[in-house]
């Protein structure tokens, strides 16, 4: 069989298997130990985000971000902690890059803090901010590590929130200007760009349900914010490409494979709405200049502030598709429920009261099942999900190049005196082993995945959960910034060097 046809047919089979596997209960079978090989040149990396690791919150001319304001407001963050210092990576980056190198990493996904570059979100750039990222990128290249730049990992300049925040469509232009500044200064050295980290999450949690700053609870504001972000994504795509001929632009979307709760037509349709809203809303806007069918009735264009011609602004065919995988969702129809909206943030998603639907427009209930083991952050571990998700996106978007931009788990293991201060975090090793085995299988079945970024290089500031969760492959003692490579970090370093996983 011709390779393209083979690829198509294996992806199609995987697609129909996706729904069947949940219904048959097949997902309950743990994937178990096995050996997996990755293709030559597969790129192993780790990820962080500026607000979660940098600290130096008001140094060298940096402006205030909405997250600075949030953490400085009493009652918002567990443990009353802030990210004022976090991992102090603003100063300690040479040490962190040396650790990446020691662990054989070939990629580092970091984000740029917008208010470090433009303290009030518009106007002339802050040279000290640009110099910092320039030094970081040089140090990465020196260590032969590919710099992957995310332009927005949630830390909006507070001054722009004061001008209406993401529901104000002017922000699309401001964001493109900011992206152009960065690409002009760093585009000679950076080739991989993602405009936004998890656009659905920060718009929905910030404006729809208020779990994140700025804490608004208006579905209309969420829709407007989401549309501005789609426009910003398109404008940014063009401004990066105009500033740097080497640039490739992709994404860092949050995605969860979704499975219908029952085989009913209504639950299947609700699952499709979940996928459209939570997984591919912004991807579809970029790739095709349109929104997917995420709503139970017509797309509420008026409420979104959609204007004629916006489809052309949104259109920005990505060079590669990046997404995170943490866990799965079981979805059911909520057409007849009293959809009140609301919910709490679980680490990667909004959890709603299962007795009601999520909002009056999408009308589904999406629940994180607890059939598999839970991490210490309470997220279900479901290794097979990465296989399903990668195959589904491959099938739906004509086999794009894929980068896994994040995946990881929180466990609180720390240095153990009896073992000479080692961090024996066996549960994290098992998590990555099972998941990467599933990823290798997806690649063997034709998916063009070229890179995996583990979340995270370091234990860091986990948003509203403060320091109560630890996702790092390197332990950080936040009292003195001492870093200790966990056993999982050493293990992942070996995987990176050998390009394979041994049972
Ligand atoms: C993702 C975020 C990242 C981190 C991990 C645990 O949702 O992109 O910043 O918080 O979850």
């Amino acid at each position: 069989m011709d390779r393209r046809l083979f690829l198509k047919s294996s992806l199609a089979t995987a697609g129909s298997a996706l729904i069947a596997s949940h219904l048959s209960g097949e997902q309950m079978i743990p994937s178990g130990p096995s050996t997996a090989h990755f293709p030559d040149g597969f790129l192993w990396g780790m990820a962080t985000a500026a607000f979660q690791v940098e600290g130096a919150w008001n140094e060298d001319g940096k402006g205030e971000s909405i997250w600075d304001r949030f953490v400085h407001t009493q009652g918002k963050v567990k443990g009353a902690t802030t990210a004022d210092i976090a991992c102090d990576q603003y100063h300690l980056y040479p040490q962190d890059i040396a650790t990446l190198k020691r662990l054989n990493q070939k990629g580092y996904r970091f984000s740029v803090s917008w208010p470090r570059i433009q303290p009030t979100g518009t106007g002339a750039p802050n040279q000290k901010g640009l110099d910092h990222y320039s030094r970081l990128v040089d140090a990465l290249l020196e260590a032969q590590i590919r710099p992957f730049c995310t332009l927005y990992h949630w830390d909006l300049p507070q001054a722009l929130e004061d001008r209406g925040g993401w529901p104000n469509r002017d922000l699309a232009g401001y964001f493109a200007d900011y992206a152009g500044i960065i690409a002009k200064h760093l585009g000679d050295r950076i080739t991989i760009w993602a405009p936004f980290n998890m656009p659905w999450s920060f718009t929905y949690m910030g404006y729809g349900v208020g779990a994140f700053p700025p804490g608004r609870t208006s579905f209309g504001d969420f829709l407007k914010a989401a549309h501005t972000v789609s426009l910003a994504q398109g404008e940014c795509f063009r401004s990066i490409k105009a500033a740097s001929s080497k640039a490739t632009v992709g994404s860092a979307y949050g995605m969860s494979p979704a499975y219908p709760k029952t085989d009913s037509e209504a639950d299947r349709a609700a699952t499709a709405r979940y996928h459209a809203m939570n997984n591919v809303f912004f991807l579809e806007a970029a790739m095709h200049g349109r929104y997917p069918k995420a709503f139970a009735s017509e797309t509420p264009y008026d409420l979104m502030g959609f204007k004629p011609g916006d489809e052309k602004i949104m259109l920005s065919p990505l060079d590669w598709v990046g997404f995170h995988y943490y866990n799965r969702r079981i979805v059911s129809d909520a057409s007849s429920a009293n959809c009140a909206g609301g919910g709490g943030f679980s680490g990667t998603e909004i959890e709603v009261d299962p007795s009601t639907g999520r909002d009056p427009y999408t009308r589904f209930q999406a629940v994180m099942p607890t059939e598999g083991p839970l991490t210490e952050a309470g997220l279900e571990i479901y290794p097979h999900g990465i296989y399903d998700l990668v195959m589904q996106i491959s099938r739906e978007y004509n086999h794009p190049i894929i980068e896994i931009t994040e995946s990881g788990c929180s466990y609180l293991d720390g240095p153990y005196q009896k073992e000479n201060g080692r961090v024996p975090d066996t549960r994290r090793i098992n998590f990555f082993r099972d998941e990467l085995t599933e990823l290798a299988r997806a690649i063997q079945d034709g998916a063009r995945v070229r890179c995996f970024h583990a979340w995270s290089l370091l234990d860091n500031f986990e948003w509203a959960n403060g320091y109560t969760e630890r996702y790092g492959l390197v332990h950080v003692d936040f009292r003195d910034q001492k870093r200790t490579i966990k056993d999982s970090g050493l293990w992942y370093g070996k995987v990176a060097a050998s390009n394979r996983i041994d049972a």
Side-chain angles (χ1 to χ4, degrees):
M1 195 190 282
D2 148 286
R3 186 178 143 73
R4 255 181 79 85
L5 275 180
F6 168 73
L7 215 112
K8 275 199 172 160
S9 70
S10 57
L11 291 171
T13 319
S16 37
L18 189 152
I19 290 173
S21 74
H22 170 63
L23 299 174
S24 67
E26 186 196 306
Q27 80 283 0
M28 295 297 294
I29 303 163
S31 50
S34 59
T35 308
H37 300 258
F38 285 80
D40 287 348
F42 190 82
L43 200 141
W44 297 95
M46 293 185 184
T48 60
F51 189 76
Q52 295 179 275
V53 299
E54 281 182 354
W57 80 280
N58 60 359
E59 266 184 66
D60 288 345
K62 177 182 167 294
E64 185 191 23
S65 76
I66 54 173
W67 271 96
D68 291 316
R69 178 73 59 95
F70 188 81
V71 303
H72 294 149
T73 307
Q74 200 168 316
K76 296 294 187 192
V77 177
K78 274 193 193 164
T81 46
T82 71
D84 293 358
I85 300 173
C87 309
D88 199 22
Q89 194 181 72
Y90 189 73
H91 300 110
L92 300 180
Y93 71 89
Q95 184 183 330
D96 290 340
I97 292 173
T99 303
L100 287 166
K101 191 172 164 66
R102 180 174 161 201
L103 297 180
N104 309 307
Q105 299 302 294
K106 291 280 179 250
Y108 183 49
R109 175 175 168 247
F110 66 96
S111 79
V112 171
S113 158
W114 187 351
R116 227 180 255 299
I117 303 301
Q118 290 175 298
T120 56
T122 57
N126 169 28
Q127 192 59 45
K128 286 190 171 162
L130 286 172
D131 290 347
H132 168 72
Y133 292 107
S134 187
R135 286 191 296 267
L136 177 80
V137 168
D138 284 347
L140 286 167
L141 291 174
E142 173 72 34
Q144 293 178 311
I145 297 169
R146 183 190 76 166
F148 174 130
C149 179
T150 306
L151 285 162
Y152 185 85
H153 202 127
W154 304 354
D155 42 359
L156 184 71
Q158 178 64 42
L160 289 185
E161 181 52 42
D162 297 342
R163 291 163 79 171
W166 285 109
N168 172 4
R169 77 184 262 145
D170 291 348
L171 263 72
Y174 301 149
F175 184 71
D177 291 346
Y178 154 66
I181 292 170
I182 302 289
K184 185 170 155 232
H185 285 84
L186 305 178
D188 56 334
R189 287 157 286 162
I190 297 180
T191 56
I192 309 285
W193 302 86
F196 291 104
N197 180 71
M198 300 176 81
W200 176 83
S201 303
F202 76 81
T203 50
Y204 194 75
M205 295 186 207
Y207 298 95
V209 297
F212 279 0
R216 284 192 232 169
T217 51
S218 152
F219 197 74
D221 281 356
F222 154 65
L223 288 176
K224 284 197 181 62
H227 186 51
T228 306
V229 167
S230 294
L231 299 171
Q233 186 176 241
E235 301 267 24
C236 164
F237 178 90
R238 288 179 287 277
S239 75
I240 292 176
K241 297 248 174 180
S244 163
S245 57
K246 293 184 189 171
T248 67
V249 181
S251 59
Y253 300 128
M255 293 194 190
S256 296
Y259 307 84
K261 186 173 179 188
T262 72
D263 201 14
S264 72
E265 188 63 32
D267 283 354
R268 283 168 177 264
T271 305
R273 292 200 295 281
Y274 174 92
H275 182 63
M277 180 84 260
N278 285 54
N279 293 344
V280 298
F281 199 71
F282 299 90
L283 179 57
E284 189 77 5
M287 293 302 211
H288 300 300
R290 65 179 181 224
Y291 287 120
K293 294 194 184 322
F295 304 96
S297 46
E298 290 303 299
T299 303
Y301 288 111
D302 283 353
L303 215 51
M304 301 174 87
F306 195 99
K307 293 188 183 166
D310 281 358
E311 63 282 0
K312 291 204 187 74
I313 300 176
M314 296 178 347
L315 185 67
S316 47
L318 303 178
D319 298 303
W320 46 271
V321 175
F323 53 87
H324 314 344
Y325 172 66
Y326 283 92
N327 58 25
R328 64 172 169 158
R329 284 293 181 277
I330 304 295
V331 183
S332 55
D333 181 51
S335 291
S336 51
N338 174 22
C339 294
F345 180 52
S346 72
T348 60
E349 258 261 32
I350 279 284
E351 303 299 340
V352 290
D353 173 356
S355 65
T356 151
R358 204 183 56 185
D359 64 66
Y361 292 88
T362 54
R363 291 199 165 271
F364 56 71
Q365 290 169 346
V367 175
M368 185 196 72
T370 51
E371 289 156 29
L374 304 183
T375 68
E376 239 156 343
L379 302 188
E380 187 205 32
I381 300 174
Y382 185 61
H384 183 63
I386 197 166
Y387 178 88
D388 285 344
L389 183 61
V390 161
M391 297 310 266
Q392 185 174 11
I393 295 300
S394 297
R395 196 173 69 249
E396 292 175 356
Y397 287 91
N398 198 21
H399 319 300
I401 293 169
I402 291 175
E403 299 227 350
I404 304 299
T405 36
E406 281 182 28
S407 189
C409 51
S410 171
Y411 291 110
L412 299 177
D413 307 283
Y416 189 41
Q417 246 184 3
K418 284 189 190 155
E419 302 210 24
N420 297 324
R422 270 181 47 228
V423 185
D425 59 335
T426 321
R427 292 172 296 180
R428 182 173 287 100
I429 295 176
N430 292 340
F431 173 94
F432 279 118
R433 178 189 288 121
D434 288 351
E435 184 176 294
L436 288 168
T437 303
E438 288 291 311
L439 183 63
R441 212 159 61 76
I443 296 170
Q444 271 150 30
D445 288 351
R448 298 166 68 202
V449 184
R450 72 173 179 202
C451 172
F452 181 88
H453 291 97
W455 182 271
S456 175
L457 165 62
L458 302 168
D459 291 338
N460 58 46
F461 183 80
E462 182 51 35
W463 308 111
N465 291 328
Y467 298 99
T468 64
E469 296 179 2
R470 287 180 178 270
Y471 277 90
L473 281 84
V474 174
H475 181 272
V476 178
D477 186 326
F478 293 100
R479 292 167 300 191
D480 61 3
Q481 294 297 337
K482 183 173 187 318
R483 273 85 158 131
T484 308
I485 299 175
K486 300 180 188 179
D487 282 2
S488 60
L490 297 170
W491 177 86
Y492 188 67
K494 276 198 211 138
V495 170
S498 63
N499 224 10
R500 54 181 283 148
I501 291 165
D502 293 312

